[in-house]
Amino acid sequence: MLYFLQNENYKVGVESLGAELQHFIKLDEQLEFIWQADPNVWASHAPNLFPIVGELPDAMYTFQGNTYPMLRHGFARHKEFKLVDEHHDKLVFELTHDDETLAQYPFKFTLLVAYILEWNKLSVTYLVRCDDDHAMYFSVGGHPAFNVPFYPNENYTDYYLEFEQEETLSRYLLNEQGLQNGDTERVLEQERVLHLNHEFFEKDALVFKNLNSEKVALSSSTNPRSVEIEFQGFPYLGVWAKPGPSQYLCIEPWCGIAGRVGESGELQDKEGIQEVGPKQAFERTFTITIL
């Protein structure tokens, strides 16, 4: 079911399946910023990633001597969430463990995804609570896809990412299975601006670690409109589109990252894994602002 937030200038739509953001519309122009999930290209809008981010070796991991299956980005994006709080400016969705999740992920949990619209800014908050009597290990992150270009008379290559601070950035390369292969490739050298081109994604996502910036803006050289993502507290950032002439860009704040070739497979040893204690909670927020 689709739920909406709206003020005088903006409208946001969120689907209960996956608690997935599907619309962020500037009303005076009827300008949609979220990719509309063309099934012939990439059939998602902005999936929420939990309890892992990225791919695992052989799509499985081990915990306390047992092996569990887990597909790329986890199961939350395919699960129906319950709407537990609704106001004119706020929607909160909840997912809890069930028999299906316990077969893949042996933890009792509650995942809340909250959306708050404040004028031109949408906050997306993840609250992960451990409902077990032992520590829980997980990753969580966003995967919002934005229309590129914003306007029909523009080109993809008119667009660029502008980081908050100067960056010397290398991408961490992935192999054909989506795992970190140990190689890197420099993409910025004491610069703030990364110009978009489709060739970037022939090697899968741009995966960044150790950023100085906590904000990045998606902008165009041919119009003044921007989308700014603030991701304080998220140690990894992914930038991705399907290879080829796709008309969108995903900007992905992550608390977690894809597995590495040759890693042990133990969940608690995985790079980027988060730990939360029994009856404790973990919370992170990223924001999307239309400028």
Side-chain angles (χ1 to χ4, degrees):
M1 186 171 179
L2 194 59
Y3 297 88
F4 291 98
L5 301 172
Q6 186 169 334
N7 57 35
E8 292 180 7
N9 286 280
Y10 294 91
K11 184 176 183 178
V12 166
V14 183
E15 170 62 52
S16 57
L17 181 63
E20 185 178 13
L21 175 66
Q22 293 197 357
H23 300 284
F24 197 166
I25 300 169
K26 191 172 187 295
L27 291 172
D28 61 349
E29 298 181 72
Q30 284 299 299
L31 185 60
E32 172 69 81
F33 286 91
I34 300 298
W35 166 249
Q36 288 305 289
D38 181 347
N40 296 314
V41 182
W42 184 63
S44 295
H45 304 265
N48 293 304
L49 316 182
F50 176 87
I52 64 163
V53 169
E55 191 69 77
L56 295 174
D58 301 317
M60 62 182 65
Y61 67 93
T62 58
F63 181 70
Q64 294 185 340
N66 296 311
T67 299
Y68 299 90
M70 183 69 66
L71 296 178
R72 180 180 296 208
H73 294 325
F75 51 70
R77 59 195 178 130
H78 302 302
K79 299 287 285 184
E80 186 70 26
F81 281 65
K82 178 182 178 182
L83 182 69
V84 294
D85 195 4
E86 182 178 15
H87 296 279
H88 72 282
D89 61 348
K90 182 179 183 180
L91 297 169
V92 182
F93 297 87
E94 180 185 77
L95 179 68
T96 58
H97 62 275
D98 58 24
D99 289 344
E100 183 182 41
T101 69
L102 289 168
Q104 306 171 63
Y105 183 65
F107 301 96
K108 297 176 181 178
F109 70 88
T110 299
L111 170 63
L112 297 175
V113 183
Y115 295 90
I116 299 176
L117 179 62
E118 299 175 279
W119 195 242
N120 61 337
K121 181 172 75 173
L122 179 67
S123 300
V124 183
T125 296
Y126 300 117
L127 188 146
V128 181
R129 188 176 70 230
C130 175
D131 297 329
D132 243 321
D133 56 4
H134 54 80
M136 185 172 86
Y137 301 92
F138 67 95
S139 295
V140 68
H143 200 308
F146 302 97
N147 285 323
V148 179
F150 301 155
Y151 297 97
N153 61 338
E154 298 178 301
N155 298 310
Y156 198 86
T157 51
D158 294 332
Y159 281 72
Y160 57 91
L161 292 175
E162 184 169 3
F163 291 91
E164 177 187 28
Q165 300 184 42
E166 285 190 350
E167 301 282 356
T168 296
L169 272 185
S170 295
R171 65 186 297 185
Y172 287 75
L173 294 172
L174 307 175
N175 68 10
E176 292 181 357
Q177 287 73 47
L179 302 174
Q180 296 183 70
N181 65 13
D183 294 333
T184 62
E185 182 178 273
R186 187 60 55 86
V187 296
L188 285 181
E189 191 77 48
Q190 285 298 108
E191 300 168 86
R192 294 178 58 190
V193 173
L194 180 64
H195 294 276
L196 297 189
N197 66 73
H198 293 295
E199 287 72 29
F200 275 144
F201 308 114
E202 292 176 358
K203 299 178 182 179
D204 210 314
L206 301 175
V207 177
F208 297 131
K209 309 178 186 183
N210 306 313
L211 286 161
N212 296 317
S213 302
E214 294 180 335
K215 297 179 184 178
V216 64
L218 173 63
S219 304
S220 170
S221 60
T222 58
N223 78 74
R225 195 70 59 212
S226 293
V227 176
E228 181 183 81
I229 312 299
E230 183 171 358
F231 50 94
Q232 184 177 8
F234 291 81
Y236 305 98
L237 187 72
V239 177
W240 178 81
K242 191 173 180 179
S246 52
Q247 300 296 295
Y248 66 92
L249 184 74
C250 297
I251 303 174
E252 309 173 34
W254 297 334
C255 290
I257 194 170
R260 297 192 309 271
V261 173
E263 70 181 14
S264 72
E266 290 286 341
L267 183 63
Q268 62 267 40
D269 296 336
K270 185 178 183 298
E271 180 183 355
I273 207 72
Q274 307 296 317
E275 179 181 353
V276 63
K279 315 306 179 185
Q280 300 297 308
F282 169 101
E283 184 174 323
R284 290 290 186 276
T285 298
F286 72 90
T287 63
I288 302 170
T289 305
I290 309 301
L291 300 173

